[in-house]
Every structure is written in C-alpha cells, then in structure tokens.
Amino acid sequence: MTIAAGGFGLGGILLFVGLAAAALLVHGGTGGREDLFDAYVWRVTRFTLLQASLSTGLSILFAIPVARALARQAAFPGRIWLLRLMALPLGLPALVAALGLIEVWGRQGFLNKALVAAGLAEPISIYGLFGILLAHVFFNMPLAARLMLAGLERIPAEYWRTSANLGMGSLAIFRFIEWPVIRGLLPGIAGLVFMLCATSFTLVLTLGGGPAASTIEVAIYQALRFDFDPPRAIALSGLQVVLTGLLLLLLKFVAPPPEEGETSGRAIRRFDGCQGLARLADRIWLTLALIFVGTPFAAIAASGLQADLARLLSEHAVHRALLTSAAIALPSAAIAVAIAALMIRTQRLVLSRRRHGMPARFFAGTIGASMSFILLAPPIVLGAGWFLLLRPFGDVARFAPLIVIAINALMALPFVHRVLAPAMVTHAARTERLAASLGIGGFHRLRWIDWPPLRKAFFTAFSFALALSLGDLGAIALFGSQDLATLPWLLYSRMGSYRTADAAGLALLLGILCLIFTVLGTAGDDRTRGSGT
C-alpha cells in the first residue's frame, strides 16, 4: 500500500512538471534551438558554475563551526531564538533580503560609511560576484548549519559519555565522532545549496550589476519574458538540469554510507564544550553568525519602523494579503511534509526487501532524484506552463490558488527531504526490526515508537516549508492580482509603484510574520534533547 502510494506521488510530481513543460513547447515558437550554445550561453554557464561552487564552499565552511558550536552549547540563554533567527532568511523574499544586505554592505550602508570614516579610499562594492556570494552565504549558511545541527544532535548519548571517559580532546572528538556524521551529510547539503545558488534569480538580477554577472536562470527568464521563446527556455532548463545532475551524481558516489550508532535513548549531555577555550571559540563563531545574519534584519526593521505602520495595518489590502499568505503557506507546507515522508518511507521499503532487482533500484533512485531535481524546474516555467494549460478552461484566476500552493509545495520538497530523510532512515535502522519482532504496527507504532523521536525533525521540516512558501514571490508573480495578493506580491507591487516607505513597512511585517510562523514551526526545539534526534 505504501509503495503504491509512493508511486502515485512520484507520478503526480512528474506529471505536474511534464505538463507544464509540454504546454510551453506546444504554445511556443520554434526558435532558440540552433543558437542554444552561443557565446552568451557559454558565458552565463561558466559564471553559473563559478558562483554556485564558490557560494556552496563558503556556506559549508562557515556552517560547520556554527553547527558544531550550537551542538556543543545546548543551554545558553537565547539559543532557541538564534536558531529561529537562522531560519528567517528562507522566509523572506530574496528582494527584501537583498535590500537589507544593501543597507549594510552597500555604498551608502553603515559598514562602508564606517570604512570611509576610518580613511579607506574605496569602499566595498556589493555589486558583482562579491555581492552574489555574500547574499548566497547569507541565505544558505543558516540552512546548512541547521541541517548539520540536526545530524549532530542524532549522535547517541553513549558516544559523549565514552569520549569523556577516554579524555578525548576537542580535535579528537571532531575527527572520530562529529566529522563522520558531517561527512555523511555534506553531499546532500552541498548538492542542495549548489542547486539553490545555480537557480538563483532575484539575487543575481539585483546584485549582479550587469550582463557580466548573469546566470542560466536569468537567461531562462529573458527567453520567456522578453523573447517568448519557450523552446530555448526549456533547452536552457535542460542544460541546467544536466549540469547540476552530473554534480549530484558525483556527490552521490563520493558519499560514505550512513553510520547508525545504537542508543538506549538516554538524554544527550556533551562535556567537550565546557572548557574555557572551547567555550570561547564557540561564542566567537555564534557571535559572528548572529552579526552576519542579524544585521540585515536589523536594517530592514530600522527602515520599516520609519513607515506609517498604523496606516498599513489598517488597510484592507494588507489584511487580505496576510490571510492569503497564511492560506497558501500552511497547506503548501503540510503537503510538502506529507509527500516527502511518504517518498522516504517508500524508498526505504523498496530497498529493504531481500530481493530487489534493477527495476526496484531504479524506482528508489528515481524517488530520491525527484526530491532534488524538482528544484531545477524554475517556478516561472511551471507557472507559465500551467497558465497556458488552464487558459482554455476560462478565467485562470479560479485555479491560481491551487497552482501556487502546488508549486510552493514542490519547491519546498528538497528542503523537507534533507531534514526528514536522515532522521527517518536513522530511526528505521534502530527500531524497525524490533518493532516487527514485537508485532507493533499501525497507529500504536506511530504514537509510541515513531512520533517521539521524529517529532523534532517534522517540526523543523514544516518550519522550513512554511517559511519558503510564506516568502515566495516566484509563483505568485504570474498569478498575483487584486483578488489574489500575498504579502510578498503586495510588497513587490508597492516597490514597483515607488512607494518605498510602504514597501519597507511591509517588509518588516513580513519578517515579523515569518518569525511567528518559525516560532510555531520550531516548537519541537524547546523540548529536551533526550529523544536522540
């Protein structure tokens, strides 16, 4: 039954993406294919790979010490709020976050003003490759750190007691306990971050500074928006999928097999972060992360407080946008979590059979690939395809909410999968045989065996999906109207009409709303760490 449901879900994903692509090809022109590999495409391809590789490497290098510091320092005041702050970049539209970064790092930002006051002749320029890397690290370092933290917190408590009894130092603990876990997570995290950077659009358009800093995603947008050449857009999307797919395949081969340690489920207590030098180092890394992530939000808040918030909060359009954002974000997050959990369970069941031939392995591999490759289908391509498909049935606005919810759920699948898969696989390896031998199944297994240790992972996954859908501007940009306006779409409209004060106020409201949803979505973080997750 579960395998059949997983196959149905996989078929639905492929059908949704395939129909959108087919609609664009049918309704589009015939040009674009003969000049697909012209000089411009090669240039944007090289820049796409360069900036994505650098962004991924910087994000991972910054995330490792931050995640380790959070794992070692589990009880300092404000830890839960630091975790929630690090979830906020995912929830804001890229345009809003870019404006916050410009307020800090731009030519008129307070950082450059301080450097000029200190006598520096040429201040830092945020535009070009530096600005793109800065923005990508701002978005992806917190994501990578939280995913690594989830893996570190699943290390059995017995490991830490043994390391303390053996007198292992910080370097030895990292080498023999923490690094094997991080190394197993790195291919998946690096692949996810690379895809996010390779498919980045708004940040590159805002901070790129010109044609010299364009990516394949920008070329896809130009092919659809200005030339309306769907075959070229589809071909460029295929090129993007092939390039990123080759990297993911390489990462899959170099990924070590997961190491599942046995545990009695005791409360986790680490002893290696209590020494003076270790605690000082952790505080330095956490302070740097707080400053790096927090200052753009502080800049957004400072600009937003200058707006007429009382008038904005009294506007009917803002009320409708808030309700619409919540009505879209909540079902999108729930659908993403449900589909990801079903796919992970299906893949596990298929591969756990004693005899699984090539078809079973291919089916399981397709499920795993679909969780990542869906991120390479640009929302503008999916939205434009479904717009063309639904146009013969009358007013497309009637179907717009459902299409936006579906696209947002699909876009959140890679994040949800990266959170749930390690937790569910680890839990299944530890409990599946024992539960089967005791004859425990169905609701009783879910209530007493599965839910307690997996609760936190599900809360975290739901939080990621909720934040992504709440701040999405890609899908709603095609279907947005006076009758279907989310908070990001309303913010974008006010910016387009040069109502910058209102846009700053709406950006602040969106940040507060994202924080509220993040707090609700990460409620599991407040519980004890004794579950082994």
Side-chain angles (χ1 to χ4, degrees):
M1 186 68 178
T2 302
I3 296 178
F8 180 78
L10 176 62
I13 293 174
L14 298 179
L15 185 65
F16 187 87
V17 177
L19 287 177
L24 283 173
L25 290 174
V26 170
H27 289 82
T30 59
R33 284 166 290 187
E34 66 279 358
D35 57 346
L36 172 61
F37 298 103
D38 56 18
Y40 172 73
V41 172
W42 284 118
R43 186 173 72 250
V44 299
T45 301
R46 288 194 300 270
F47 184 80
T48 299
L49 296 176
L50 172 65
Q51 63 86 16
S53 301
L54 292 176
S55 299
T56 301
L58 292 173
S59 299
I60 295 297
L61 288 177
F62 194 1
I64 290 176
V66 172
R68 192 181 183 215
L70 286 169
R72 294 203 299 186
Q73 308 299 329
F76 65 88
R79 181 180 185 271
I80 183 62
W81 291 103
L82 179 58
L83 288 173
R84 288 164 178 167
L85 174 66
M86 294 178 67
L88 284 181
L90 286 175
L92 283 182
L95 183 59
V96 177
L99 294 178
L101 290 170
I102 292 173
E103 288 286 338
V104 178
W105 296 83
R107 181 170 292 274
Q108 299 301 320
F110 66 81
L111 179 60
N112 272 330
K113 289 181 180 178
L115 292 176
V116 171
L120 187 66
E122 295 184 3
I124 299 173
S125 175
I126 195 176
Y127 298 101
L129 179 61
F130 173 77
I132 294 173
L133 296 179
L134 181 70
H136 283 165
V137 174
F138 169 78
F139 272 99
N140 298 312
M141 183 279 292
L143 170 65
R146 291 200 59 171
L147 292 176
M148 291 180 190
L149 176 63
L152 292 175
E153 290 183 340
R154 287 193 297 271
I155 297 176
E158 289 79 4
Y159 283 31
W160 306 120
R161 286 195 294 272
T162 302
S163 66
N165 292 333
L166 295 176
M168 295 174 63
S170 178
L171 182 60
I173 289 176
F174 177 77
R175 178 183 177 185
F176 295 108
I177 299 179
E178 293 176 316
W179 175 244
V181 174
I182 295 176
R183 183 182 58 191
L185 296 172
L186 274 183
I189 295 175
L192 177 60
V193 173
F194 185 91
M195 284 192 296
L196 287 172
C197 298
T199 58
S200 178
F201 170 69
T202 306
L203 293 176
V204 176
L205 203 63
T206 305
L207 301 175
S214 295
T215 60
I216 296 177
E217 194 83 3
V218 175
I220 294 172
Y221 172 76
Q222 291 174 343
L224 283 175
R225 179 70 174 177
F226 299 108
D227 304 328
F228 194 68
D229 190 354
R232 182 177 175 87
I234 296 296
L236 287 169
S237 299
L239 175 62
Q240 187 169 260
V241 169
V242 170
L243 291 175
T244 310
L246 290 175
L247 175 71
L248 294 179
L249 187 62
L250 176 63
L251 290 175
K252 182 178 180 180
F253 279 113
V254 302
E259 299 180 7
E260 312 297 349
E262 297 295 330
T263 179
S264 60
R266 295 179 180 178
I268 295 176
R269 182 185 177 189
R270 295 189 59 165
F271 305 91
D272 55 319
C274 302
Q275 296 85 358
L277 289 178
R279 180 175 295 180
L280 177 61
D282 290 343
R283 288 179 177 177
I284 292 175
W285 282 112
L286 294 178
T287 302
L288 290 175
L290 175 63
I291 294 174
F292 181 72
V293 178
T295 47
F297 289 106
I300 294 172
S303 299
L305 289 175
Q306 297 177 6
D308 191 352
L309 294 178
R311 178 181 57 80
L312 283 176
L313 291 174
S314 64
E315 288 186 12
H316 179 66
V318 175
H319 297 166
R320 291 189 60 181
L322 287 171
L323 293 176
T324 303
S325 295
I328 290 176
L330 289 171
S332 296
I335 292 171
V337 171
I339 292 178
L342 175 63
M343 293 296 197
I344 295 168
R345 178 63 177 166
T346 301
Q347 190 177 30
R348 174 76 181 178
L349 288 177
V350 170
L351 295 178
S352 63
R353 292 184 172 182
R354 292 183 178 180
R355 295 182 179 179
H356 52 270
M358 183 63 67
R361 289 195 297 270
F362 177 78
F363 178 60
T366 304
I367 289 178
S370 67
M371 296 292 99
S372 297
F373 285 152
I374 191 62
L375 192 63
L376 297 179
I380 189 173
V381 172
L382 295 178
W386 276 97
F387 179 85
L388 295 173
L389 277 174
L390 297 174
R391 191 168 56 178
F393 297 96
D395 186 10
V396 179
R398 294 182 301 166
F399 309 98
L402 297 178
I403 298 300
V404 173
I405 289 173
I407 292 177
N408 286 352
L410 290 179
M411 293 300 106
L413 273 181
F415 303 91
V416 175
H417 180 262
R418 295 303 177 196
V419 175
L420 290 183
M424 293 182 65
V425 170
T426 299
H427 174 71
R430 292 173 176 173
T431 63
E432 202 163 62
R433 291 184 178 179
L434 180 60
S437 64
L438 296 175
I440 303 176
F443 177 77
H444 293 289
R445 174 174 175 174
L446 176 64
R447 179 182 179 184
W448 300 110
I449 299 179
D450 294 337
W451 179 245
L454 293 178
R455 175 181 54 211
K456 183 177 178 180
F458 273 89
F459 272 124
T460 304
F462 186 81
S463 174
F464 277 149
L466 193 66
L468 281 171
S469 183
L470 181 65
D472 175 71
L473 187 60
I476 197 65
L478 289 173
F479 298 98
S481 64
Q482 296 297 327
D483 297 325
L484 183 65
T486 61
L487 198 57
W489 190 88
L490 185 62
L491 187 155
Y492 179 77
S493 300
R494 298 288 172 91
M495 291 186 64
S497 58
Y498 299 101
R499 299 169 65 178
T500 55
D502 283 0
L506 290 173
L508 177 59
L509 293 178
L510 182 58
I512 294 174
L513 183 62
C514 180
L515 176 61
I516 293 173
F517 279 136
T518 302
V519 169
L520 296 176
T522 57
D525 288 340
D526 290 324
R527 302 182 184 272
T528 63
R529 300 170 64 192
S531 60
T533 59

